[in-house]
Amino acid sequence: MSNLSCPVCGSPLKLKYRLKFNVYKCSNCGLFNSDAKFEYSFQSSLESDSRDIGLKNLRLKNFATIIKELRKLFGKNFNNIKGLEIGSGNGWWLQTCKENNISCIGIEPEIIYKSYHEENNLNVLYGFYPDVNAIQDGGYDFIIFNDVFEHIPDINDLVENLKKDLSNDGLLIINLPMSTGFFYNMATLMHKFGISSYLTRLWQFNFHSPHMNYFNDKNMKMLLNKHGLSEISALDLDSLDFPSLKERIMADKEMNKLKARFLTSALTLMKPVILSSKPDIKVFFFRKKL
Ligand SMILES: [Zn+2]
């Protein structure tokens, strides 16, 4: 497998672990890269209803942090900015933008949320980026990925396309899980002891849209720098909303009720350790260099 090279820095990738798909690690930049496949049938073990209840509080709290940063970065232009979200899912980010008077269009390949988008008058184009024609005159002031960037197979092509769609000083905002966080380290440790289900869950290998990459601070910056974007800020986001933890764990159909209850209690007990570890989710703000 030594013929595989890291999509960030080009160094050889080494096989790290075999799960449902193989996961490789770059010895230079530490990128974790999988050979997972996207299932276009959209059949998976994800129960969207349970997921919604569990995730909503957490997402909205993190979106408020991102909006605050956007206000700071755009200053007096804040009310005139135009944004694009890639992978809008349920539309919560678009809804947040609407509440904050930000104009933002979404692109989403799945139509299961269409009625929600329509009921809430959210502007969503259905299909895959960049095939969907969402061209904005002069480019977008920001393009945002909320838990989506890690699912995209060809990240170099992606970033080149994003550059074309951003305005001259446009911002690329990437909100994603980190390979240096508490949960990733814990799952890796459990895998070493022969329990692989948590690592499989983190990579979402049983879902139709698995993770393709797991980034750290260093390789995230390296990737974007390589394509001419520079980091202007990075913030830690919350990864667990403790009151809704159980619903989130129950979102996985393969998790039985007893196991879910046990995991919820264990995580609640470990709350102090989790909160003092490196962040599990971060948001990065990059600016296109002129
Ligand atoms: Zn690398």
Side-chain angles (χ1 to χ4, degrees):
M1 289 296 170
S2 58
N3 55 343
L4 291 173
S5 60
C6 171
V8 171
C9 72
S11 301
L13 290 175
K14 289 189 182 121
L15 182 64
K16 192 73 184 168
Y17 26 80
R18 287 178 202 276
L19 299 168
K20 184 178 173 184
F21 300 103
N22 292 329
V23 174
Y24 302 87
K25 191 182 181 185
C26 172
S27 49
N28 177 43
C29 73
L31 181 81
F32 287 91
N33 177 267
S34 81
D35 58 9
K37 298 281 177 292
F38 187 89
E39 268 181 49
Y40 287 86
S41 63
F42 293 145
Q43 296 295 315
S44 73
S45 54
L46 181 72
E47 244 181 295
S48 62
D49 284 344
S50 177
R51 195 183 186 217
D52 285 5
I53 303 160
L55 274 179
K56 195 163 188 177
N57 291 343
L58 178 72
R59 289 287 177 87
L60 295 184
K61 197 173 160 199
N62 287 340
F63 289 165
T65 305
I66 298 174
I67 295 278
K68 200 175 153 197
E69 187 69 4
L70 280 178
R71 274 186 202 280
K72 201 175 102 188
L73 293 171
F74 283 104
K76 59 179 180 8
N77 294 324
F78 179 78
N79 288 317
N80 301 316
I81 57 175
K82 287 190 164 48
L84 173 69
E85 183 189 29
I86 297 177
S88 294
N90 44 44
W92 292 337
W93 168 257
L94 298 177
Q95 187 71 40
T96 303
C97 284
K98 227 173 127 183
E99 285 157 13
N100 287 278
N101 294 317
I102 299 172
S103 150
C104 190
I105 294 174
I107 294 180
E108 172 56 43
E110 301 190 41
I111 54 164
I112 53 163
Y113 300 108
K114 199 172 177 179
S115 56
Y116 179 87
H117 298 154
E118 285 170 356
E119 275 163 34
N120 292 282
N121 287 321
L122 304 175
N123 193 354
V124 180
L125 302 166
Y126 299 92
F128 285 92
Y129 178 84
D131 309 337
V132 170
N133 189 355
I135 293 165
Q136 168 73 35
D137 279 345
Y140 288 97
D141 298 304
F142 72 88
I143 299 181
I144 186 165
F145 289 83
N146 290 304
D147 293 302
V148 168
F149 197 83
E150 64 279 15
H151 294 271
I152 297 179
D154 197 335
I155 44 179
N156 289 297
D157 270 7
L158 171 70
V159 178
E160 280 305 307
N161 282 310
L162 293 171
K163 267 170 74 184
K164 288 181 208 152
D165 283 328
L166 277 171
S167 66
N168 284 339
D169 54 356
L171 295 181
L172 174 61
I173 306 164
I174 303 172
N175 160 7
L176 83 177
M178 306 300 293
S179 66
T180 41
F182 172 82
F183 286 106
Y184 197 89
N185 285 325
M186 189 50 102
T188 307
L189 186 70
M190 286 168 88
H191 173 73
K192 282 182 188 151
F193 285 106
I195 306 162
S196 300
S197 52
Y198 302 109
L199 198 55
T200 298
R201 178 71 175 77
L202 278 189
W203 279 92
Q204 302 191 4
F205 283 156
N206 289 328
F207 297 160
H208 69 262
S209 176
H211 287 195
M212 304 307 298
N213 294 293
Y214 245 99
F215 292 88
N216 61 29
D217 284 271
K218 181 181 147 189
N219 52 40
M220 178 91 278
K221 220 178 282 185
M222 273 173 94
L223 172 72
L224 280 304
N225 283 348
K226 187 173 84 172
H227 291 282
L229 289 105
S230 50
E231 188 188 285
I232 50 169
S233 65
L235 305 169
D236 297 352
L237 294 177
D238 288 335
S239 55
L240 278 183
D241 176 46
F242 281 88
S244 63
L245 197 59
K246 199 174 150 210
E247 284 90 344
R248 228 184 133 184
I249 292 168
M250 296 294 275
D252 190 342
K253 276 184 195 162
E254 283 168 20
M255 179 81 73
N256 72 49
K257 290 203 164 61
L258 190 69
K259 222 165 137 190
R261 212 168 294 144
F262 170 76
L263 194 60
T264 309
S265 317
L267 286 171
T268 306
L269 281 174
M270 288 171 83
K271 193 174 167 178
V273 183
I274 297 168
L275 295 180
S276 62
S277 304
K278 275 198 169 189
D280 287 287
I281 306 178
K282 283 188 80 161
V283 58
F284 295 84
F285 295 76
F286 293 93
R287 199 187 292 282
K288 204 163 115 175
K289 291 176 199 163
L290 288 175

